[in-house]
Amino acid sequence: KAGVTQTPRYLIKTRGQQVTLSCSPISGHRSVSWYQQTPGQGLQFLFEYFSETQRNKGNFPGRFSGRQFSNSRSEMNVSTLELGDSALYLCASTPGGHEQYFGPGTRLTVT
Amino acid sequence: AQSVAQPEDQVNVAEGNPLTVKCTYSVSGNPYLFWYVQYPNRGLQFLLKYITGDNLVKGSYGFEAEFNKSQTSFHLKKPSALVSDSALYFCAVNNNNDMRFGAGTRLTVKP
């Protein structure tokens, strides 16, 4: 099976812009989670979607949002970008609540 | 609330020596525990998990972990370290689809 794919892999944006990141889970996986990884804060949970519904949400401002489509693909959106949003954004899928399979991540740089 | 602690930011070992990367957790109920490894510019890779059963769990690349309920620990071990094991290691706990990661431990194996 193909692994989790994330697009784009690298992105440079300017403060105040918005960005949309995409994640395609492993075929058959219905749960998709998003994480933000930074050197200072480590790996922080953003949100989890299951069957197009947000099932869990981390402690991030409302500028961070996501959605999941009927084919389980997921997108996350960050509006009004800030310098502190520069990070590696990781997507992970799971078949049913146990181990997660991660994509390679999208490296977002905000200038 | 559940949490995971990795008390060591950095672990250095010589190639061929045994290695231990420590993890303690705090969770209500029975925990699902995981270890992941991250190589530079890559997503996380699943190593092993504890759900129930035998306290010694064997995983990928010769790694194993020991679940100790009384000490609420789940330390990662390998009998003989390789230089290629050098990476960032994350312990994680999953409780009711809420996945939390430790801050990570950077393992360096020197030749």
Side-chain angles (χ1 to χ4, degrees), chain A residues 19-109:
Chain A
V19 66
T20 299
L21 312 182
S22 180
C23 170
S24 292
I26 292 172
S27 177
H29 290 194
R30 295 168 62 189
S31 169
V32 173
S33 297
W34 287 90
Y35 297 86
Q36 181 195 64
Q37 186 177 21
T38 59
Q41 299 296 319
L43 203 62
Q44 292 188 288
F45 171 72
L46 280 156
F47 27 67
E48 184 225 358
Y49 286 87
F50 180 81
S51 294
E52 302 180 65
T53 300
Q54 188 180 87
R55 189 159 65 174
N56 280 301
K57 188 177 189 303
N59 188 27
F60 276 81
R63 299 186 297 108
F64 292 81
S65 63
R67 59 177 174 169
Q68 187 180 33
F69 301 95
S70 59
N71 62 358
S72 294
R73 190 177 70 85
S74 177
E75 290 181 346
M76 68 162 281
N77 183 278
V78 187
S79 62
T80 319
L81 284 166
E82 301 177 359
L83 293 178
D85 297 334
S86 294
L88 180 67
Y89 289 88
L90 294 166
C91 165
S93 72
T94 179
H98 292 191
E99 66 268 27
Q100 295 183 327
Y101 297 86
F102 284 79
T106 294
R107 172 77 61 186
L108 172 65
T109 302

Side-chain angles (χ1 to χ4, degrees), chain B residues 85-96:
Chain B
D85 292 330
S86 299
L88 189 56
Y89 290 80
F90 290 94
C91 181
V93 60
N94 187 325
N95 187 21
N96 197 26

